[in-house]
Amino acid sequence: MEEIEQKPKKKEFSKYIIILSIILILSFFINLYYFFLTSEQPLWWDEAEYMSTAKSWAHDIPYQISPQRPPLFPLLGAIFFKIGLSDLAFKFLFVLIPTILNILVIYFLGKELFNEKVGLIASFIMSVFWSLIFWTARFHPDSLALLLQLLAIYFFWKGFVKEENKNKFKSVLLSGLFVGLAFLIKIQALILLPIFGIMLLISQRLDFLKKKEIWLTGAIFLLTILLYLIWNIFRYKNALAFAPAYVGSATSTQPFAWNMINFVFIFTEWPYFILFLIGIIASLFTLILSFDLFIKKKDEKLYADFFSILIILIVLFFFIFIIKIPTAEERWLYLMAPFIFLLAAKGAMLIFDKVKKYNKILAMVVLLAVLFTG
């Protein structure tokens, strides 16, 4: 009887994996097309800074390195140049491949937070995310930084929110490691710290401060970035040499950058934006109706909704009230994109489930039509 019950699960699992594999393959070839299309174009300012730093380290070429650029991305480039590999090989491995892996990670993250269907739809939306495709053709660390942040979030969820006992130690260790690595790629990855802190306060109150796993994660994070801080001391006489660029923005009298809210629509466009609105309204409605349950009792489904909305709000808060640069590029806000897509996927599933009550085939046609139109 047990074997009979397990067969449909295996069949459903293989169906999801097949669809996910198709999405990944199609995305790979789409990105590969633009990768070669732009391979002969000149470097833009940020690209030139990263690559100049890499070549400076690889071939001992004098170059004034900006303290606000963390070292890991150009260091990887320097290693490639030192061993005689091309800049295209570097871009392929550390820009294009992370773009594809982001699609894979969002599936597993969606599966953990919501379910396989939400994860699969979100991975499809991520695979056709215009901005990620555009920047994959450039020497930019944003795709790699996003991948490391998503991995940190994935293991944080499993280790601290879901509290899986089987792999808890591994999840805790990897969460701290990936936050540290993400910081070494993009300084703004530190935004994960308040996100995690708020989530721990909501899910565990102040009890989380008594748990050794928290301190272990912090220690892993600090060990990961320690060499960078020491290098800053020797080079710039300040362990936090990167900080003035961010503190300067926060303390400036520049008006708040309310236009950052527009990126929610820019990331989605029609009709994914409508799906996102349906998803976030449904999530907020559920959280309001179940507020007492949310406060008094641990509920993973409610936490998943809250966590997704929290990340979007914290990212917007950071760029509206702290960075305050009205001309910020959309790639700076990449961290909120996967969670916008997850909520859009949730909205898509709500439509699917409503239509399915009348006709399953019609529901599938409507879902596919909306996704491919988007």
Side-chain angles (χ1 to χ4, degrees):
M1 190 71 182
E2 239 177 80
E3 287 181 14
I4 294 170
E5 287 176 359
Q6 284 177 1
K7 281 181 183 177
K9 288 184 180 179
K10 287 181 180 178
K11 186 178 178 182
E12 199 165 292
F13 174 79
S14 64
K15 179 179 70 176
Y16 291 136
I17 294 303
I18 289 167
I19 296 171
L20 179 63
S21 300
I22 293 169
I23 291 170
L24 291 171
I25 292 167
L26 287 173
S27 178
F28 175 77
F29 283 109
I30 289 169
N31 282 281
L32 199 64
Y33 169 76
Y34 288 103
F35 178 85
F36 285 114
L37 186 69
T38 58
S39 61
E40 299 299 321
Q41 290 188 7
L43 300 185
W44 293 355
W45 177 265
D46 286 3
E47 293 180 278
E49 271 207 302
Y50 286 119
M51 291 299 99
S52 295
T53 303
K55 291 196 173 181
S56 171
W57 287 341
H59 304 303
D60 199 26
I61 301 169
Y63 180 70
Q64 185 64 39
I65 300 165
S66 170
Q68 72 179 73
R69 304 282 185 198
L72 187 52
F73 190 69
L75 180 61
L76 293 169
I79 293 168
F80 263 59
F81 296 146
K82 194 72 175 175
I83 61 180
L85 293 173
S86 69
D87 53 357
L88 277 182
F90 169 72
K91 185 162 66 168
F92 179 86
L93 191 60
F94 292 108
V95 182
L96 190 146
I97 294 301
T99 294
I100 307 305
L101 291 178
N102 275 315
I103 298 164
L104 182 64
V105 173
I106 197 175
Y107 165 74
F108 286 107
L109 189 57
K111 182 181 173 184
E112 285 292 327
L113 267 65
F114 300 102
N115 56 57
E116 291 95 334
K117 292 174 183 176
V118 168
L120 199 61
I121 293 170
S123 70
F124 174 80
I125 298 173
M126 178 71 99
S127 74
V128 294
F129 180 28
W130 67 271
S131 179
L132 206 56
I133 294 170
F134 176 82
W135 289 106
T136 298
R138 295 286 173 186
F139 289 97
H140 273 283
D142 301 275
S143 181
L144 180 57
L146 177 61
L147 175 64
L148 294 169
Q149 288 175 89
L150 288 180
L151 287 169
I153 289 167
Y154 176 78
F155 288 109
F156 169 79
W157 181 266
K158 292 192 76 171
F160 290 107
V161 182
K162 199 170 184 179
E163 293 192 298
E164 276 193 358
N165 293 321
K166 189 179 177 183
N167 297 308
K168 186 166 186 176
F169 180 78
K170 183 179 78 172
S171 295
V172 163
L173 184 114
L174 289 173
S175 179
L177 175 65
F178 284 123
V179 173
L181 290 174
F183 168 74
L184 293 176
I185 294 288
K186 293 278 285 186
I187 298 296
Q188 68 191 53
L190 287 178
I191 201 172
L192 289 174
L193 299 183
I195 290 170
F196 290 174
I198 293 169
M199 196 64 218
L200 286 169
L201 274 172
I202 293 294
S203 61
Q204 301 179 22
R205 308 299 186 269
L206 290 175
D207 292 341
F208 77 89
L209 293 172
K210 302 173 186 176
K211 296 187 176 181
K212 61 182 180 182
E213 303 95 273
I214 293 293
W215 302 105
L216 176 61
T217 303
I220 295 295
F221 166 71
L222 289 173
L223 283 172
T224 306
I225 69 169
L226 184 61
L227 283 176
Y228 171 49
L229 300 180
I230 294 171
W231 179 76
N232 272 343
I233 292 172
F234 280 100
R235 187 169 187 90
Y236 304 110
K237 312 301 182 189
N238 180 6
L240 305 177
F242 56 85
Y246 295 89
V247 174
S249 292
T251 56
S252 73
T253 56
Q254 194 162 311
F256 298 139
W258 291 106
N259 62 305
M260 294 298 104
I261 297 171
N262 295 336
F263 283 123
V264 176
F265 178 77
I266 291 169
F267 280 174
T268 51
E269 301 288 346
W270 307 102
Y272 293 154
F273 182 67
I274 295 173
L275 294 180
F276 165 70
L277 288 179
I278 294 170
I280 196 169
I281 289 168
S283 295
L284 288 169
F285 190 67
T286 304
L287 283 168
I288 291 167
L289 285 181
S290 309
F291 186 72
D292 58 332
L293 185 64
F294 176 72
I295 293 296
K296 295 176 184 177
K297 186 181 175 184
K298 181 171 179 176
D299 189 317
E300 272 183 40
K301 289 180 181 178
L302 294 175
Y303 282 175
D305 287 329
F306 176 80
F307 194 43
S308 300
I309 296 169
L310 174 69
I311 290 175
I312 295 168
L313 290 177
I314 292 290
V315 172
L316 287 173
F317 178 89
F318 180 70
F319 283 95
I320 292 170
F321 299 108
I322 297 176
I323 298 299
K324 296 185 290 188
I325 299 176
T327 55
E329 295 176 23
E330 83 287 340
R331 61 190 173 90
W332 299 1
L333 289 81
Y334 268 172
L335 182 58
M336 73 176 183
F339 298 91
I340 291 172
F341 300 158
L342 284 168
L343 290 172
K346 184 177 177 180
M349 282 309 303
L350 288 170
I351 293 172
F352 177 82
D353 290 337
K354 289 288 183 185
V355 180
K356 190 174 72 170
K357 291 177 182 178
Y358 303 98
N359 189 299
K360 190 174 181 179
I361 295 172
L362 178 63
M364 185 59 70
V365 169
V366 169
L367 177 63
L368 291 175
V370 170
L371 290 177
F372 282 105
T373 304

